[in-house]
Amino acid sequence: MTKARLFSGMQPSADSLQIGNYIGALMQWRDMQEEYDAFFTVVDLHAITVPQDPVQLREKTRRTAAQYIAAGIEPSKSTLYVQSQVPAHAELAWILSTITGFGEAGRMTQFKDKSQRYGSDQASVGLFTYPVLMAADILLYQTEAVPVGDDQKQHVELTRNLAERFNARFGETFTVPEPVIQKETARIYDLQDPTSKMSKSAESQAGVLYLLDDVNVTAKKIMRAVTDSDGVVRYDRETKPGVANLLSIYAALTGREISAIEDEYAGRGYGDFKKGLRDVVVAEFEPVRARALELLEDPAELDRTLAANADRAATAAEETLSAVYDRVGLLRRG
Ligand code: ATP
Ligand code: LTN
């Protein structure tokens, strides 16, 4: 039986991924790659919708790919590649942009947030059409499952609408994908500001646990995490967001129930609890960090792996793109 297709990706927007990317995405990808025919992409074309330094972008792209592999995504099992190495992504995005409403794109909340942050003169047209490129990523591979955080749900919904619209207008062409959304406890918050989502491109790094940070830095960030004055290790997102966040991380990495961890630390202070968490995080990160740095020592080998995977992706993508060009009525080269 052929496996169902899965597609997901991350932007190369930092030198290192953070623990939210690891818990919210990579751990799930690693499990799902067994039962799906999975495509995992470093979406560099998405990253350039906001200004990037060219030298750094290339480096961040390699580093992101190395961290996928170090975290357990196997390039022999899954197709792990760089988006810009498969031209069909940009080509399908153009076609899809012609069936996307201007108002429809304008309702995307990520665009509204980001364009507000940059101001309308700084916000690029690429930022506006970002979700259309994401739809192209997904639809090129006849994807059935798209594992993402809930912030991406609206984009997957747009993808579904575009697939249905194209199919209705031009004939059955695309599989309509389903989002696979993580449960609430899989969302990790900033250790210094536990009401906002941890993000790899955050302005302050003090509350962000980076996969490639030195062990001592990780330990310090955990020991300095914001908690509260009540001293009880108990999960309550409303009144104890700092402690609840640390409990979520602990539970996600160990696979234990939150209540079991609360019991273990009953009657003990936050110091003990943080030391326990520090040991868990360091033990999880150390091998991933070591493997990623090892892979980055041989960039030529890493580039070859990515290129071979891009070839595999391009073959699958071109099949869909060719059907799309035919359906739309573009005159093919004879
Ligand atoms: P950026 O700061 O560049 O927006 P990010 O760290 O917020 O980056 P993305 O590249 O947007 O992360 O997302 C990659 C994947 O990681 C997505 O599936 C997203 O849902 C997941 N993810 C990102 N941050 C978190 C978080 N704090 N908790 C859980 N999952 C997260
Ligand atoms: N927009 C996503 C990254 C992304 C993606 C995709 C995720 C680009 N294309 C296709 C899933 C499927 C983000 O910022 N996390």
Side-chain angles (χ1 to χ4, degrees), residues 99-121:
I99 64 160
T100 307
F102 199 79
E104 189 176 33
R107 282 193 291 278
M108 296 293 120
T109 55
Q110 181 176 304
F111 169 73
K112 287 198 271 187
D113 292 348
K114 287 200 182 176
S115 59
Q116 247 168 27
R117 205 181 319 154
Y118 291 99
S120 69
D121 280 342

Side-chain angles (χ1 to χ4, degrees), residues 7-11 43 46 130 134 137-138 146 148 152 155:
F7 188 99
S8 199
M10 283 189 213
Q11 298 190 59
V43 292
H46 278 106
Y130 177 114
M134 178 162 162
D137 296 343
I138 297 168
V146 187
V148 281
Q152 297 299 315
H155 292 163

Side-chain angles (χ1 to χ4, degrees), residues 65-67 69-70 290-302:
Q67 289 171 87
I69 299 173
R291 179 81 182 111
L293 295 179
E294 185 183 278
L295 288 162
L296 288 166
E297 270 172 22
D298 191 353
E301 173 60 22
L302 182 61

Side-chain angles (χ1 to χ4, degrees), residues 261-307:
I261 303 165
E262 288 171 340
D263 291 348
E264 183 182 336
Y265 289 98
R268 296 159 69 184
Y270 291 154
D272 265 8
F273 171 55
K274 285 177 169 178
K275 280 184 197 151
L277 178 64
R278 174 197 65 193
D279 294 346
V280 166
V281 173
V282 165
E284 183 81 22
F285 276 18
E286 250 326 87
V288 178
R289 174 173 183 268
R291 179 81 182 111
L293 295 179
E294 185 183 278
L295 288 162
L296 288 166
E297 270 172 22
D298 191 353
E301 173 60 22
L302 182 61
D303 288 359
R304 276 193 294 277
T305 303
L306 291 172

Side-chain angles (χ1 to χ4, degrees), residues 209-251:
L209 294 179
Y210 292 102
L211 231 48
L212 301 184
D213 266 348
D214 186 78
V215 178
N216 297 320
V217 174
T218 299
K220 251 190 218 131
K221 285 179 179 173
I222 294 172
M223 297 311 290
R224 288 180 187 161
V226 167
T227 49
D228 50 59
S229 55
D230 127 274
V232 182
V233 178
R234 187 168 51 81
Y235 188 92
D236 186 335
R237 265 234 60 85
E238 293 300 308
T239 61
K240 297 162 67 66
V243 173
N245 187 37
L246 299 179
L247 274 165
S248 294
I249 296 175
Y250 206 127

Side-chain angles (χ1 to χ4, degrees), residues 9-11 13 18 20-21 24-25 148-149 151 186-188 197-201:
M10 283 189 213
Q11 298 190 59
S13 48
Q18 41 90 7
N21 303 132
V148 281
D151 57 320
R187 177 176 273 233
I188 307 302
K197 181 184 99 99
M198 192 183 285
S199 160
K200 60 177 135 64
S201 59

Side-chain angles (χ1 to χ4, degrees), residues 26-72:
L26 284 172
M27 284 173 69
Q28 200 187 10
W29 294 4
R30 186 168 66 203
D31 291 345
M32 294 181 89
Q33 73 177 337
E34 305 298 331
E35 11 159 358
Y36 285 89
D37 178 13
F39 288 69
F40 297 116
T41 309
V42 180
V43 292
D44 54 349
L45 295 174
H46 278 106
I48 60 169
T49 56
V50 300
Q52 301 288 345
D53 172 83
V55 174
Q56 282 184 24
L57 177 63
R58 227 179 325 270
E59 185 56 23
K60 287 173 180 174
T61 301
R62 275 203 194 97
R63 290 172 80 95
T64 303
Q67 289 171 87
Y68 283 10
I69 299 173

